[in-house]
Amino acid sequence: MDQSVAIQETLLDGATCRIAVQGAVAVGQSVESRLLGLVERGGRHAIYVYTHRRMAITAEDVWLEKVIPITEGFAVEEVIPDGDLHVIGSDVTVRIHSEGDGLTVQLPFGSHTRTFLQEVSKCSTEAVGSEGIKQNGKKLAVSPGWSQDSTDRSAPRQSKLKPEVTTEMVRSSNVMVSNVASILSEPKFGLRDTIVKSQLVQREDSYTYIQNFRFFVGTYNVNGQSPKESLQPWLRCDSAPPDIYCVGFQELDLSKEAFFFNDTPKEEEWFKAVTDSLHPDAKYAKVKLVRLVGIMLLLYVKADLALNISEVEIETVGTGIMGRMGNKGGVAIRFKFHNTSVCVVNSHLAAHMEEYERRNQDFKDICSRMQFCQSDPNLPPLTIGKHDVILWLGDLNYRLEELDVTKVKQLVDERAFPELCQYDQLKRQMNAKAVFEGFTEGEISFQPTYKYDAGCDEWDTSEKCRVPAWCDRILWKGQNIAQLSYRSHMALKISDHKPVSSVFDIGVKVVNEELYRKVFEEIVRSLDKVENANIPSVTLSQREFHFEDVKYMQLQVEKFTILNGQVPCQFEFISKPDEATYCKEWLIANPSKGFLLPGSEITIELELFVNKSTATRLNSGEEKLEDILVLHLDRGKDYFLSVTGNYLPSCFGSPIHTLCYMREPIQDMSAESIRNLTLMPLEMSDNATQAEKPLEIPKELWMMVDHLYRNASQQEDLFQQPGLRSEFEQIRDCLDKGMHDTLLGSNHSVAEALLLFLESLPEPVICYSFYSSCLECANNYVLSSQIISNLPECHKNVFEYLMAFLRELLKNSGKNNLDVNILASIFGGLLLRPPPGHPMPDITEKRKAQQFIHQFLLRENNLS
């Protein structure tokens, strides 16, 4: 959420809040939140500090506390109190002061904080950018020259025996708190650096040895509850303290506010509960916290091991409805521990017994979409699979199938867990290599962890009487991993799930400093001999690519290899003259840049994917699937690749008025007819310029809504549970080709297809030109009705038709779990969208869009 909007509303004319960041300050014995805004007025700059409500949306939510002018004497210092390692590898604490006034504030780790500090440094009249940011009283240079000497950056590693935290103690990391310089100045990585690092990786075994460290991994679906009981029976269940804690939660908050706005007070509640319950025989440092709606992951390390943690990155992937909503999905923390890369993933996959294919799809989506930036910008992002150790935990939601509830409970009472596991969906899907390929799960010797009555150990006694299942799981992948325990914890009773934990001994690659130095020096000496000896060249396995019959939102991939010659080579796809990116919007090369040692090769995937942003112009023929890629070698030549394809037109991405004039399926029409109708201006659609009278609403929209009305009015979690991608593709083909009278696929897949259809409209149902007016009268039904009556006829018909359908769904809310707020939020963001070029809607705008739709869901009035 852009909180600079709230600050901007408090400022006088002529003043601008350039960027804002939220931080934490100590007030007495407590910690309070503050908003810091970098404000410019008349060429002068200052940092405005505000107290605020939990969600700062407008000027009414913030109160100015102080102003710190950026004038002579202004400085920013990093603060690392002696012995305080609580936020090592995580948030950064800085002191900002000027003219006798100041503030010590803890800022969240991430690119936004880095950008904020960069902007502050640019504005400093004391030339903070050239003199530096202080660290414990010492200034660290942040000028461009800070990182120009690549030889120094690749120099032998610093000893870990120094008594204080210093920048030199952090290797190849731009994420540790002590590396303040990298927060303000992105380092420059050269070819020589990359070669040295690549050869060090190749020879890693010659300077590292394996040392075991103990990892505690825990997962708990808390069903929206607050921590009303101690977590010690779960987190302190062993006599020996672990070296690292990985603690994951699901369903942290089930409220609508958390679902739609990703805001919850329960994050702090559960973070405190975990911190208070860690093993008492060790001091721990929080490394990182990451959350997506109700999915949260916490990483702690023993304080005396904190300096061995580096390269910390976090990512989130939502796999809920339309592939984005964060009620389902995954969060991850990746880091380097000594010389071993570790990725910890916490996921909450699709619910319900029959949805195992959707769970498989969620897993694959998380794996493909979760990408972590590397500190070297010349290297491609890291995926989950590119780590030495992967720990995967969460509510995976796989169930026990083919057995009724009575039989399952009988086998549980007999503790016949091996027999019961034969009916476990996850075991079956792993055996079929459909999911979690290459992962291992330990033997299950505890009873199913779902579903219990809250507050006790009794199985579900509700009307649904769920079949018990091992929903909560922990798996791993990698070498030198030994599982010491895998258990549930029946003592915790606040949720309908029981927490699960596993303890591992993981062999970590630890560097022998003396051997490392020798290997490093050998590499540098050998590099000096061959450097600049030759011009790099590569061989491409293919240079022309054709994508046949490309369909809307259906990925196609073509592969080729780059084989390097005898000279180390850095490659990158570069943009052509007068073009902003290296490829068209529908294409991507993965990886788009990288490094090759002599004689090595890499496989490049060209991924073609047409979505809402490109479909309309492809439908009309204004754009074709044609592009030329330029593969550039550093110090070498350029190679040109030709990409072509043919696109099958789709109702997805077609304007409403265009579809109303299409009585045949779109793929049965000529390219010329499609082009003419797609390019027909909306304002002409109400005039009788066409030979045939248009349909009142698009037939494709009618087919989807009619299917849902007849089959899904009482469908549980409609518009909240995602469908299957394979079924969406069948529904799309049915609509585009007119193959069947009825749509194929589950109710959830048809519902998601409807939402994707509305999202793909180039002109939303409520036209862009009415957007601001709708927000202004979001609480006035009469004025809102007048706006709808002024829409073009086909748009007005679609709006009325959808509202009537949604009101019918609300009559069955007892069965489908829908309420007016859920529907208003989901459809508000689709029917009422800001025009192109408008800033991303903040929470205030989203709520007004919700309120606008909300009015029509409560009234039966016909607007015509």
Side-chain angles (χ1 to χ4, degrees):
M1 187 177 85
D2 183 6
Q3 293 171 313
S4 63
V5 175
I7 294 177
Q8 184 64 51
E9 291 182 7
T10 70
L11 302 178
L12 298 172
D13 291 343
T16 302
C17 180
R18 290 172 46 170
I19 187 171
V21 67
Q22 186 173 333
V25 300
V27 180
Q29 298 298 312
S30 63
V31 176
E32 296 182 4
S33 180
R34 293 290 186 273
L35 279 184
L36 278 66
L38 177 59
V39 176
E40 176 184 11
R41 187 165 188 259
R44 294 178 297 173
H45 301 86
I47 294 177
Y48 282 43
V49 182
Y50 293 80
T51 58
H52 63 99
R53 291 196 178 105
R54 183 162 60 87
M55 294 179 64
I57 299 169
T58 68
E60 297 177 355
D61 301 322
V62 298
W63 300 271
L64 183 63
E65 183 177 62
K66 67 169 63 180
V67 176
I68 304 174
I70 301 179
T71 58
E72 192 72 26
F74 175 85
V76 180
E77 297 176 335
E78 189 204 11
V79 180
I80 306 179
D82 292 339
D84 182 7
L85 293 176
H86 181 67
V87 290
I88 288 289
S90 178
D91 303 335
V92 57
T93 300
V94 296
R95 175 164 174 76
I96 305 169
H97 58 91
S98 176
E99 297 178 350
D101 194 9
L103 180 75
T104 299
V105 60
Q106 181 177 299
L107 302 175
F109 162 73
S111 59
H112 189 70
T113 290
R114 180 165 62 242
T115 303
F116 177 82
L117 292 173
Q118 286 174 334
E119 291 299 313
V120 170
S121 71
K122 290 177 187 177
C123 299
S124 173
T125 57
E126 196 195 20
V128 174
S130 59
E131 288 191 23
I133 297 297
K134 294 181 180 179
Q135 179 183 356
N136 289 350
K138 287 187 176 181
K139 288 195 174 184
L140 298 178
V142 293
S143 66
W146 172 74
S147 58
Q148 285 176 352
D149 189 346
S150 63
T151 304
D152 287 347
R153 280 199 319 284
S154 300
R157 301 140 52 91
Q158 299 295 319
S159 168
K160 299 282 193 310
L161 301 178
K162 295 187 178 181
E164 62 175 350
V165 181
T166 65
T167 304
E168 289 79 5
M169 295 177 71
V170 182
R171 299 176 292 103
S172 305
S173 169
N174 68 341
V175 296
M176 295 289 280
V177 168
S178 37
N179 197 353
V180 179
S182 67
I183 293 175
L184 296 178
S185 174
E186 290 295 332
K188 297 178 182 177
F189 292 85
L191 178 61
R192 182 183 177 90
D193 249 0
T194 307
I195 295 172
V196 170
K197 289 172 184 174
S198 298
Q199 294 194 3
L200 281 170
V201 170
Q202 282 195 328
R203 299 179 59 179
E204 187 178 48
D205 290 345
S206 65
Y207 60 84
T208 61
Y209 60 94
I210 300 297
Q211 180 178 338
N212 279 342
F213 292 89
R214 188 151 296 183
F215 283 61
F216 175 98
V217 180
T219 178
Y220 193 8
N221 181 320
V222 298
N223 194 31
Q225 302 300 307
S226 293
K228 301 168 186 173
E229 56 190 5
S230 172
L231 303 183
Q232 293 181 17
W234 174 38
L235 302 178
R236 291 190 192 179
C237 53
D238 294 308
S239 57
D243 297 303
I244 286 180
Y245 272 101
C246 312
V247 183
F249 295 96
Q250 307 84 40
E251 295 191 356
L252 201 73
D253 192 332
L254 297 176
S255 69
K256 302 296 186 296
E257 184 176 68
F259 179 68
F260 291 111
F261 305 114
N262 196 25
D263 185 76
T264 174
K266 293 189 176 178
E267 175 183 308
E268 185 63 30
E269 293 177 10
W270 281 100
F271 166 60
K272 184 178 186 302
V274 171
T275 304
D276 292 344
S277 299
L278 299 179
H279 205 289
D281 293 344
K283 181 180 179 182
Y284 290 93
K286 171 194 151 197
V287 177
K288 201 67 197 157
L289 179 157
V290 58
R291 182 179 61 82
L292 174 67
V293 188
I295 310 169
M296 184 168 81
L297 179 62
L298 284 158
L299 180 68
Y300 298 84
V301 63
K302 277 184 178 177
D304 57 355
L305 298 175
L307 289 179
N308 299 304
I309 297 278
S310 65
E311 299 181 25
V312 182
E313 292 287 346
I314 61 172
E315 277 300 335
T316 66
V317 169
T319 61
I321 192 78
M322 300 172 71
R324 290 197 305 275
M325 288 292 193
N327 59 321
K328 295 293 188 290
V331 301
I333 304 174
R334 66 88 51 195
F335 59 97
K336 203 168 181 181
F337 186 37
H338 286 283
N339 239 49
T340 292
S341 61
V342 181
C343 184
V344 186
V345 185
N346 174 21
S347 67
H348 190 188
L349 307 185
H352 303 301
M353 168 75 77
E354 68 281 2
E355 295 289 349
Y356 66 89
E357 288 184 293
R358 177 70 218 194
R359 291 188 269 281
N360 295 352
Q361 180 177 301
D362 286 351
F363 166 79
K364 292 171 184 174
D365 283 349
I366 292 169
C367 288
S368 64
R369 291 168 52 198
M370 189 83 75
Q371 296 192 333
F372 306 92
C373 293
Q374 298 202 63
S375 53
D376 184 344
N378 293 313
L379 298 178
L382 288 172
T383 58
I384 293 172
K386 296 292 186 181
H387 292 79
D388 299 322
V389 173
I390 306 169
L391 302 171
W392 198 300
L393 58 112
D395 179 357
L396 306 188
N397 251 325
Y398 288 93
R399 308 301 173 94
L400 293 169
E401 57 189 10
E402 298 179 14
L403 297 177
D404 62 28
V405 64
T406 303
K407 182 62 175 177
V408 170
K409 290 179 180 178
Q410 176 195 328
L411 292 173
V412 171
D413 290 340
E414 297 171 358
R415 298 191 67 79
F417 300 137
E419 180 181 350
L420 204 52
C421 280
Q422 296 175 25
Y423 300 93
D424 176 69
Q425 289 178 337
L426 179 56
K427 297 289 188 188
R428 289 182 170 186
Q429 293 301 303
M430 289 178 70
N431 289 338
K433 300 189 183 303
V435 72
F436 284 102
E437 192 168 357
F439 280 80
T440 303
E441 183 182 25
E443 179 183 348
I444 297 178
S445 58
F446 50 89
Q447 70 184 50
T449 56
Y450 175 85
K451 179 181 183 180
Y452 296 87
D453 287 341
C456 66
D457 295 333
E458 298 296 321
W459 296 115
D460 178 26
T461 58
S462 70
E463 180 183 349
K464 294 179 180 177
C465 194
R466 302 281 193 192
V467 177
W470 285 294
C471 290
D472 310 282
R473 312 290 273 266
I474 297 171
L475 300 93
W476 74 89
K477 187 176 184 180
Q479 302 297 316
N480 303 311
I481 302 174
Q483 187 179 53
L484 305 182
S485 67
Y486 190 23
R487 53 199 164 185
S488 67
H489 300 269
M490 300 294 290
L492 276 72
K493 305 179 190 299
I494 62 170
S495 174
D496 55 357
H497 290 247
K498 298 296 183 184
V500 171
S501 73
S502 182
V503 176
F504 299 94
D505 270 350
I506 299 180
V508 171
K509 294 174 286 189
V510 178
V511 172
N512 180 306
E513 298 289 344
E514 185 176 347
L515 293 177
Y516 173 89
R517 191 173 291 108
K518 288 180 180 178
V519 171
F520 171 81
E521 289 170 355
E522 289 173 9
I523 292 172
V524 171
R525 279 197 298 270
S526 64
L527 190 60
D528 289 340
K529 294 177 183 178
V530 300
E531 202 166 44
N532 299 321
N534 294 294
I535 295 175
S537 65
V538 298
T539 302
L540 307 184
S541 63
Q542 188 177 342
R543 298 200 192 190
E544 295 183 356
F545 305 87
H546 182 74
F547 293 84
E548 189 74 24
D549 293 343
V550 176
K551 298 179 179 180
Y552 183 79
M553 283 188 70
Q554 187 163 330
L555 178 68
Q556 285 199 32
V557 179
E558 292 282 343
K559 300 179 181 180
F560 71 98
T561 59
I562 304 175
L563 175 63
N564 193 23
Q566 299 307 305
V567 179
C569 156
Q570 202 155 283
F571 68 88
E572 180 177 8
F573 288 96
I574 61 172
S575 56
K576 299 177 284 296
D578 302 322
E579 294 190 11
T581 58
Y582 71 85
C583 65
K584 297 287 180 63
E585 196 173 351
W586 37 262
L587 185 65
I588 190 171
N590 186 24
S592 63
K593 54 187 174 183
F595 170 78
L596 289 169
L597 288 169
S600 64
E601 68 177 38
I602 190 171
T603 298
I604 305 295
E605 294 186 344
L606 297 180
E607 302 176 357
L608 197 158
F609 188 74
V610 174
N611 59 18
K612 61 181 180 180
S613 61
T614 52
T616 306
R617 293 177 61 82
L618 289 169
N619 276 342
S620 68
E622 294 173 280
E623 185 174 338
K624 297 186 181 300
L625 294 179
E626 296 176 355
D627 201 3
I628 299 292
L629 299 183
V630 181
L631 179 65
H632 172 72
L633 304 187
D634 188 29
R635 300 182 301 118
K637 60 183 286 189
D638 292 341
Y639 298 78
F640 298 89
L641 288 76
S642 170
V643 178
T644 59
N646 69 291
Y647 181 67
L648 300 179
S650 175
C651 62
F652 289 84
S654 295
I656 289 176
H657 65 282
T658 297
L659 294 173
C660 286
Y661 277 103
M662 290 184 177
R663 294 182 174 271
E664 305 170 45
I666 190 170
Q667 289 184 12
D668 287 351
M669 301 184 66
S670 68
E672 183 181 2
S673 296
I674 295 172
R675 175 182 174 84
N676 291 338
L677 289 175
T678 303
L679 295 179
M680 178 176 64
L682 175 59
E683 55 270 17
M684 291 178 58
S685 63
D686 287 345
N687 301 327
T689 56
Q690 301 291 320
E692 289 190 78
K693 182 182 177 183
L695 302 168
E696 290 193 355
I697 61 172
K699 58 188 180 303
E700 297 84 359
L701 176 67
W702 175 84
M703 283 189 70
M704 288 185 282
V705 171
D706 182 66
H707 178 98
L708 294 172
Y709 176 72
R710 287 185 291 105
N711 300 291
S713 292
Q714 298 184 8
Q715 176 70 57
E716 183 180 2
D717 294 334
L718 192 68
F719 294 119
Q720 298 172 84
Q721 174 82 12
L724 284 172
R725 186 170 299 119
S726 59
E727 292 183 350
F728 165 75
E729 292 169 359
Q730 291 178 326
I731 294 165
R732 177 207 58 213
D733 290 349
C734 180
L735 297 174
D736 289 341
K737 298 178 181 179
M739 297 185 299
H740 305 285
D741 293 332
T742 58
L743 297 176
L744 304 176
S746 70
N747 292 334
H748 292 304
S749 295
V750 176
E752 187 166 24
L754 172 60
L755 298 181
L756 290 169
F757 174 83
L758 295 172
E759 184 189 44
S760 75
L761 295 171
E763 183 82 30
V765 175
I766 301 174
C767 303
Y768 286 131
S769 58
F770 293 96
Y771 178 74
S772 297
S773 302
C774 290
L775 298 188
E776 290 171 5
C777 63
N779 291 313
N780 188 318
Y781 179 69
V782 174
L783 292 179
S784 299
S785 300
Q786 290 176 1
I787 291 175
I788 298 301
S789 66
N790 288 327
L791 292 175
E793 190 68 22
C794 55
H795 283 249
K796 179 165 73 74
N797 292 341
V798 167
F799 182 84
E800 291 181 357
Y801 183 61
L802 288 172
M803 291 301 104
F805 166 60
L806 297 180
R807 287 193 293 266
E808 286 298 315
L809 290 182
L810 289 173
K811 293 177 181 178
N812 293 282
S813 59
K815 297 284 188 180
N816 57 35
N817 293 336
L818 290 170
D819 65 36
V820 67
N821 292 320
I822 292 175
L823 290 178
S825 293
I826 293 172
F827 283 85
L830 295 171
L831 307 183
L832 184 56
R833 306 200 306 259
H838 188 281
M840 185 73 70
D842 57 20
I843 287 182
T844 303
E845 285 191 21
K846 290 179 181 178
R847 285 197 169 130
K848 287 182 178 179
Q850 178 190 32
Q851 291 163 4
F852 184 88
I853 302 300
H854 192 282
Q855 305 172 97
F856 294 94
L857 297 179
L858 297 177
R859 291 172 170 82
E860 296 284 351
N861 301 30
N862 192 310
L863 303 173
S864 55

